[in-house]
CSV table of all heavy atoms in Angstrom, one decimal:
chain,number,residue,atom,x,y,z
A,29,ILE,N,20.0,28.1,-14.2
A,29,ILE,CA,21.2,28.0,-15.0
A,29,ILE,C,22.4,28.0,-14.1
A,29,ILE,O,22.3,28.6,-13.0
A,29,ILE,CB,21.2,29.1,-16.1
A,29,ILE,CG1,21.4,30.5,-15.4
A,29,ILE,CG2,20.0,29.0,-17.0
A,29,ILE,CD1,21.7,31.6,-16.4
A,43,PRO,N,34.4,45.1,-10.1
A,43,PRO,CA,33.1,45.5,-10.5
A,43,PRO,C,32.8,45.2,-11.9
A,43,PRO,O,31.7,44.8,-12.3
A,43,PRO,CB,33.0,47.0,-10.1
A,43,PRO,CG,34.0,47.1,-9.0
A,43,PRO,CD,35.1,46.2,-9.3
A,44,GLU,N,33.8,45.5,-12.8
A,44,GLU,CA,33.7,45.3,-14.2
A,44,GLU,C,33.5,43.9,-14.6
A,44,GLU,O,32.6,43.5,-15.4
A,44,GLU,CB,34.9,45.9,-14.9
A,44,GLU,CG,35.1,47.4,-14.8
A,44,GLU,CD,35.6,47.9,-13.5
A,44,GLU,OE1,36.1,47.0,-12.7
A,44,GLU,OE2,35.5,49.1,-13.2
A,45,LYS,N,34.3,43.0,-14.0
A,45,LYS,CA,34.2,41.6,-14.3
A,45,LYS,C,32.9,41.0,-13.8
A,45,LYS,O,32.2,40.2,-14.4
A,45,LYS,CB,35.4,40.8,-13.6
A,45,LYS,CG,35.4,39.3,-13.9
A,45,LYS,CD,35.5,39.0,-15.4
A,45,LYS,CE,36.9,39.3,-15.9
A,45,LYS,NZ,37.1,38.9,-17.3
A,46,ARG,N,32.5,41.4,-12.6
A,46,ARG,CA,31.2,41.0,-12.0
A,46,ARG,C,30.1,41.4,-12.9
A,46,ARG,O,29.2,40.6,-13.2
A,46,ARG,CB,31.0,41.5,-10.6
A,46,ARG,CG,29.7,41.0,-10.0
A,46,ARG,CD,29.5,41.6,-8.6
A,46,ARG,NE,28.4,41.0,-8.0
A,46,ARG,CZ,28.4,40.2,-6.9
A,46,ARG,NH1,29.5,40.0,-6.2
A,46,ARG,NH2,27.2,39.7,-6.4
A,47,SER,N,30.1,42.6,-13.4
A,47,SER,CA,29.0,43.1,-14.3
A,47,SER,C,29.0,42.2,-15.6
A,47,SER,O,27.9,41.9,-16.1
A,47,SER,CB,29.3,44.5,-14.6
A,47,SER,OG,28.3,45.0,-15.5
A,48,GLN,N,30.1,41.8,-16.1
A,48,GLN,CA,30.2,41.0,-17.3
A,48,GLN,C,29.5,39.7,-17.1
A,48,GLN,O,28.7,39.2,-17.9
A,48,GLN,CB,31.6,40.8,-17.8
A,48,GLN,CG,32.3,42.1,-18.3
A,48,GLN,CD,33.7,41.9,-18.7
A,48,GLN,OE1,34.2,40.7,-18.6
A,48,GLN,NE2,34.4,42.9,-19.0
A,49,TYR,N,29.9,39.0,-15.9
A,49,TYR,CA,29.3,37.7,-15.6
A,49,TYR,C,27.8,37.8,-15.4
A,49,TYR,O,27.0,37.0,-15.9
A,49,TYR,CB,30.0,37.1,-14.4
A,49,TYR,CG,31.3,36.3,-14.8
A,49,TYR,CD1,32.5,36.9,-14.6
A,49,TYR,CD2,31.2,35.1,-15.4
A,49,TYR,CE1,33.7,36.2,-14.9
A,49,TYR,CE2,32.3,34.4,-15.8
A,49,TYR,CZ,33.6,34.9,-15.5
A,49,TYR,OH,34.7,34.3,-15.8
A,50,GLU,N,27.4,38.8,-14.6
A,50,GLU,CA,26.0,39.0,-14.3
A,50,GLU,C,25.2,39.2,-15.6
A,50,GLU,O,24.1,38.7,-15.8
A,50,GLU,CB,25.8,40.1,-13.3
A,50,GLU,CG,26.2,39.7,-11.9
A,50,GLU,CD,26.0,40.8,-10.9
A,50,GLU,OE1,25.9,42.0,-11.3
A,50,GLU,OE2,25.8,40.5,-9.7
A,51,ALA,N,25.7,40.0,-16.5
A,51,ALA,CA,25.1,40.3,-17.8
A,51,ALA,C,24.9,39.1,-18.6
A,51,ALA,O,23.9,38.8,-19.2
A,51,ALA,CB,25.8,41.4,-18.5
A,52,ALA,N,26.0,38.3,-18.7
A,52,ALA,CA,25.9,37.0,-19.5
A,52,ALA,C,25.0,36.0,-18.9
A,52,ALA,O,24.2,35.4,-19.6
A,52,ALA,CB,27.3,36.4,-19.5
A,53,LEU,N,24.9,35.9,-17.6
A,53,LEU,CA,24.0,35.0,-16.9
A,53,LEU,C,22.6,35.5,-17.1
A,53,LEU,O,21.7,34.7,-17.4
A,53,LEU,CB,24.3,34.9,-15.4
A,53,LEU,CG,25.5,34.2,-15.0
A,53,LEU,CD1,25.8,34.5,-13.5
A,53,LEU,CD2,25.4,32.7,-15.2
A,54,GLN,N,22.3,36.8,-17.0
A,54,GLN,CA,21.0,37.3,-17.2
A,54,GLN,C,20.5,37.1,-18.6
A,54,GLN,O,19.3,36.8,-18.9
A,54,GLN,CB,21.0,38.8,-16.8
A,54,GLN,CG,19.5,39.4,-16.7
A,54,GLN,CD,18.8,38.8,-15.6
A,54,GLN,OE1,19.2,38.8,-14.4
A,54,GLN,NE2,17.6,38.2,-15.8
A,55,ALA,N,21.4,37.3,-19.6
A,55,ALA,CA,21.0,37.1,-21.0
A,55,ALA,C,20.6,35.6,-21.2
A,55,ALA,O,19.6,35.4,-21.9
A,55,ALA,CB,22.2,37.4,-21.9
A,56,ALA,N,21.4,34.7,-20.6
A,56,ALA,CA,21.0,33.3,-20.8
A,56,ALA,C,19.7,33.0,-20.1
A,56,ALA,O,18.8,32.3,-20.7
A,56,ALA,CB,22.1,32.4,-20.2
A,57,LEU,N,19.5,33.6,-18.9
A,57,LEU,CA,18.2,33.4,-18.2
A,57,LEU,C,17.1,34.0,-19.0
A,57,LEU,O,16.0,33.3,-19.1
A,57,LEU,CB,18.4,34.0,-16.8
A,57,LEU,CG,17.4,33.6,-15.7
A,57,LEU,CD1,17.5,32.2,-15.4
A,57,LEU,CD2,17.6,34.5,-14.5
A,58,ASP,N,17.2,35.1,-19.5
A,58,ASP,CA,16.2,35.8,-20.3
A,58,ASP,C,15.8,35.0,-21.5
A,58,ASP,O,14.6,34.9,-21.8
A,58,ASP,CB,16.6,37.2,-20.7
A,58,ASP,CG,16.7,38.2,-19.5
A,58,ASP,OD1,16.2,37.8,-18.4
A,58,ASP,OD2,17.3,39.2,-19.7
A,59,ALA,N,16.8,34.4,-22.2
A,59,ALA,CA,16.5,33.7,-23.4
A,59,ALA,C,15.6,32.4,-23.1
A,59,ALA,O,14.7,32.1,-23.8
A,59,ALA,CB,17.8,33.2,-24.1
A,80,ILE,N,23.8,30.6,-25.4
A,80,ILE,CA,24.3,31.9,-25.1
A,80,ILE,C,25.6,31.8,-24.2
A,80,ILE,O,26.6,32.5,-24.4
A,80,ILE,CB,23.3,32.7,-24.3
A,80,ILE,CG1,22.2,33.2,-25.3
A,80,ILE,CG2,23.9,33.9,-23.6
A,80,ILE,CD1,21.1,34.0,-24.7
A,81,MET,N,25.6,30.8,-23.3
A,81,MET,CA,26.8,30.7,-22.5
A,81,MET,C,28.0,30.0,-23.2
A,81,MET,O,29.1,30.3,-23.0
A,81,MET,CB,26.5,29.9,-21.2
A,81,MET,CG,25.6,30.7,-20.3
A,81,MET,SD,25.3,30.0,-18.7
A,81,MET,CE,24.1,28.7,-19.1
A,84,SER,N,29.8,32.6,-25.2
A,84,SER,CA,30.5,33.6,-24.4
A,84,SER,C,31.9,33.1,-24.0
A,84,SER,O,32.1,32.0,-23.5
A,84,SER,CB,29.7,33.9,-23.1
A,84,SER,OG,30.5,34.8,-22.2
A,86,LEU,N,33.4,34.0,-21.5
A,86,LEU,CA,33.5,34.0,-20.0
A,86,LEU,C,33.5,32.6,-19.4
A,86,LEU,O,33.9,32.4,-18.3
A,86,LEU,CB,32.4,34.9,-19.4
A,86,LEU,CG,32.5,36.4,-19.7
A,86,LEU,CD1,31.2,37.0,-19.2
A,86,LEU,CD2,33.7,37.0,-19.2
A,87,PHE,N,32.8,31.7,-20.1
A,87,PHE,CA,32.6,30.4,-19.5
A,87,PHE,C,33.4,29.3,-20.2
A,87,PHE,O,33.7,29.4,-21.3
A,87,PHE,CB,31.1,30.0,-19.6
A,87,PHE,CG,30.2,31.1,-18.9
A,87,PHE,CD1,29.5,31.9,-19.7
A,87,PHE,CD2,30.1,31.2,-17.6
A,87,PHE,CE1,28.7,32.9,-19.2
A,87,PHE,CE2,29.3,32.2,-17.0
A,87,PHE,CZ,28.6,33.0,-17.8
A,321,VAL,N,20.2,36.6,-10.5
A,321,VAL,CA,21.4,35.9,-10.8
A,321,VAL,C,22.3,36.2,-9.6
A,321,VAL,O,22.1,37.2,-8.9
A,321,VAL,CB,22.1,36.4,-12.1
A,321,VAL,CG1,21.2,36.1,-13.3
A,321,VAL,CG2,22.4,37.9,-12.0
A,322,ALA,N,23.3,35.3,-9.4
A,322,ALA,CA,24.2,35.5,-8.3
A,322,ALA,C,25.5,34.8,-8.6
A,322,ALA,O,25.6,33.9,-9.5
A,322,ALA,CB,23.6,34.9,-7.0
A,323,ILE,N,26.5,35.1,-7.8
A,323,ILE,CA,27.9,34.5,-7.9
A,323,ILE,C,28.4,33.8,-6.6
A,323,ILE,O,28.8,32.7,-6.7
A,323,ILE,CB,28.9,35.5,-8.4
A,323,ILE,CG1,28.5,36.1,-9.8
A,323,ILE,CG2,30.3,34.9,-8.5
A,323,ILE,CD1,29.3,37.2,-10.3
A,331,SER,N,21.7,40.3,-6.0
A,331,SER,CA,21.9,40.6,-7.4
A,331,SER,C,20.7,40.1,-8.2
A,331,SER,O,20.8,39.7,-9.4
A,331,SER,CB,23.2,39.9,-7.8
A,331,SER,OG,23.1,38.5,-7.6
A,334,PRO,N,20.6,42.8,-11.5
A,334,PRO,CA,22.0,43.4,-11.7
A,334,PRO,C,22.0,44.6,-12.6
A,334,PRO,O,21.1,44.7,-13.6
A,334,PRO,CB,22.7,42.2,-12.4
A,334,PRO,CG,21.7,41.4,-13.0
A,334,PRO,CD,20.5,41.5,-12.1
A,335,ASP,N,22.9,45.5,-12.3
A,335,ASP,CA,23.0,46.7,-13.1
A,335,ASP,C,23.9,46.4,-14.3
A,335,ASP,O,25.1,46.3,-14.1
A,335,ASP,CB,23.5,47.8,-12.3
A,335,ASP,CG,23.7,49.1,-13.0
A,335,ASP,OD1,23.1,49.2,-14.1
A,335,ASP,OD2,24.3,50.1,-12.5
A,336,HIS,N,23.4,46.2,-15.5
A,336,HIS,CA,24.2,46.0,-16.6
A,336,HIS,C,23.6,46.5,-17.9
A,336,HIS,O,22.4,46.9,-17.9
A,336,HIS,CB,24.5,44.5,-16.8
A,336,HIS,CG,23.3,43.6,-17.0
A,336,HIS,ND1,22.6,43.1,-16.0
A,336,HIS,CD2,22.6,43.3,-18.1
A,336,HIS,CE1,21.6,42.4,-16.4
A,336,HIS,NE2,21.6,42.5,-17.7
Side-chain angles (χ1 to χ4, degrees):
I29 64 171
E44 293 77 15
K45 181 62 71 175
R46 182 181 185 118
S47 179
Q48 289 176 7
Y49 273 105
E50 289 183 332
L53 289 168
Q54 192 66 56
L57 197 64
D58 290 345
I80 285 179
M81 292 187 284
S84 170
L86 295 174
F87 304 106
V321 297
I323 298 175
S331 59
D335 182 13
H336 63 267

